[in-house]
Amino acid sequence: MEELELTIESVVFQSDDGKFSVFRGRGLRKEKISVVYKGFAPFPGEQVKIRGDWVEHPKFGRQLQALVCQSVPPSSVSGMERFLASGAVRGIGKATAARIVEYFGEATMQVLGEKPERLKEVEGIGAKKAEVIAASFAELSDLKELMLFLEENGLSANYAPKIKAAYGAAALSVIAENPYRLAADVVGIGFRTADRLAAMLGLEADNPERIKAGLEFALVQASAGGHTYLPEELLLRETANLLQISSEIVYETFNRLIAEDLLRTEEYGQGRLVYPEYLYRAETGVARRLIFLRDKVNSLWQVNYEEVIEEWEKETGLKLAEAQAEAVKASLEHGVFVLTGGPGTGKTTVVKNILAVLEKAGCKIMLAAPTGRAARRLAESAGHPAATVHRLLEYAPNGEGYFFGRNSDNPLEADAIIVDEASMLDIVLAHNLLKAVPVGCRLILVGDVDQLPSVGPGTVLKDILRSKMMPVVRLESIFRQAAKSPIVTNAHLINKGKAPQCEPASDFSFEEVEDEEAAALVIVKRYAEIAAIKGWEEVQALSPMHKNACGVANLNKLLQERMNPPAAGKAEIMTPTGLLRRDDKVMQTRNNYEKDVFNGDIGKITEISGRSVRVMFPERPEGESVVYEQSELDELQLSYAMSVHKSQGSEYNSVIIPLVRSHYILLQRNLLYTGVTRAKERVILVGSRAAVNTAVDRDDIRRRYTLLAERMQDEVNLF
């Protein structure tokens, strides 16, 4: 690793978010050096100390890839003048910088830092301008000092602006007093980062603030794993393991926090449960609201359900099965109704019939789904406009979190709301939805309870069924036409714990390849073959994991090399998620309501111009594309392959799924079932037969800690 001192001459590029910069400077021997740095660029004229490695860029030549960039006060008069003239200090231009340095000479920086009132001695600087210069220099000095402090203590200087914004001039003293505040107050800094800093600052392992932060982090980790709470014993054990201290010491701080009402606990059964406050409110709120809405339904007495069903059957030429007719009737008679069933059981047909009855009754109907792709599928199948749940609730980020425009004070204007893919609803989103459902409105939840649970905490759909407190119809009969599909047939076999029936070169095949790197190459080959015939939109690789040879990351790398290799004149760009080039298949990774693109939407890069990227999304109106500026590129990632979790709510003509031994920890029946049911025409399984058998056999799904079902039962018992 090379260590150099540079005087900065120019900044070539600085990203809007401060996460990436390119600048040029001169070393002590006056040699010109180009530097690439993942952080804020220094100012022209500033002297910096840099540590990094030399790399050879195919287009820009030799560059120093800096890992550390620390400011060094300028030592020469000319360096001081260049620094002040760079615009870094408000109120100082080139002419003023020259006059200041000419007047104070080598003492310039000392005067600015210690006696800024002397600036009035310089011709052309009055009292007001001196104050502006002094304040700006002090602010800049504080930031530089904070950046240096972070770098010296093993943290990236990129955090400095956020920390400065949170704590102002007191940042260093706040961090020194309690570095764990960073994890709570600064976006991007988690417990582990704050804990490393605390260790560098010499805080003891059993410091009460460390234990408090550890308990909070353990609860955050639990919610990331889908839990809404943790039993006390488990929380103490997890925290002790995390902090590498005894459970007894953790218990002392734990009891103090409870006494000070800083942890939400609840006695249940033989033990005590610990919740993050927001999840406690969400879980209790969902239980209470579901029971309340269930029986509060406006009458549709003027509609004869049987007549409407008969009319619909005549118009469509379809005949509802007994369970389907029961589902239509139940959806109209109750304030909350759940319809569940696997592929080919007729959920879509029931939804269409429910819509027909509701429309005949003159109801205002709203359709929604948790993701953009699922909402579009719902709109296409139902022949009725549909939106994401977030858009339905008029979601808007507000800087620190989010805000829903529709809530208990401003409910949705609807007589009936149908939510598809309800298995994807987490407890927080379900709570916000229920708050916005007006009294008397019908809420119809449609989903496949056997699919993977929501990414967020809770198992809302499963808990509603488990409670037995809501009217539910489960469709189980596979219709004759659907039964002809090997995908539907095998999905139901998998769900029953039976091995899928695979036939070579059929619409449901298995290619046995024990070596995982060889399996990855088979996936690439099959992907390319299908894409060459059907097109890039028609095939999707779905992997259980992100890591290893058959994980999402490596498959995307291999598929990019095969499907869209580098070529002369083909633009490419390095982003926070990796290298992207023109014609790459990419995915939007979070909802962006301003651009009208949603988490899981898949598109193709059509243009890279400078630091902006244009993406065409086929599902948008013809001719429309979306432009991403530099600061937005972290919303895009390669999508030749994606995780099975990420594919929920979507459908693809052909799906290729690796099932290999290294994915053992995630090989579960509901994961394979979910992946298989994403395909419309063809499924190809690649990997180990033992891994396939493991996925089919393992139904010991780790139960999430939730009490929604029990709370719903308790709500009923209160009346």
Side-chain angles (χ1 to χ4, degrees), residues 360-490:
K360 191 168 185 64
C363 292
K364 183 174 182 180
I365 310 160
M366 291 182 170
L367 271 61
T371 68
R373 289 179 68 87
R376 291 190 186 105
R377 282 180 55 208
L378 175 61
E380 290 168 4
S381 63
H384 190 286
T388 64
V389 176
H390 283 83
R391 184 175 286 282
L392 189 76
L393 299 178
E394 299 176 10
Y395 165 94
N398 64 0
E400 295 182 359
Y402 54 82
F403 170 78
F404 288 107
R406 294 291 180 171
N407 48 46
S408 55
D409 296 324
N410 184 30
L412 293 163
E413 297 173 7
D415 301 305
I417 300 169
I418 299 175
V419 179
D420 197 13
E421 298 288 355
S423 63
M424 298 174 68
L425 288 174
D426 63 46
I427 194 71
V428 176
L429 185 56
H431 186 217
N432 283 289
L433 171 64
L434 288 165
K435 284 191 292 186
V437 175
V439 176
C441 175
R442 289 164 175 77
L443 176 64
I444 299 153
L445 301 175
V446 183
D448 187 345
V449 75
D450 295 316
Q451 285 189 22
L452 288 169
S454 59
V455 174
T459 50
V460 175
L461 187 64
K462 184 171 288 186
D463 285 348
I464 291 174
L465 269 65
R466 189 164 61 87
S467 74
K468 303 187 187 307
M469 293 293 106
M470 292 290 128
V472 175
V473 170
R474 181 161 192 158
L475 304 176
E476 297 180 310
S477 299
I478 305 174
F479 284 85
R480 188 177 303 166
Q481 187 174 355
K484 296 176 183 177
S485 165
I487 296 173
V488 171
T489 302
N490 281 316

Side-chain angles (χ1 to χ4, degrees), residues 285-297 335-336 434 437-440 470 715 719:
V286 168
R288 191 174 300 120
R289 191 69 177 167
L290 280 171
I291 298 301
F292 175 76
L293 290 172
R294 183 189 62 182
D295 303 318
K296 301 289 190 295
V297 61
V336 180
L434 288 165
V437 175
V439 176
M470 292 290 128
E715 284 293 320
F719 297 99

Side-chain angles (χ1 to χ4, degrees), residues 618-624:
E619 293 181 344
R620 291 169 63 84
E622 188 175 351
E624 285 192 22

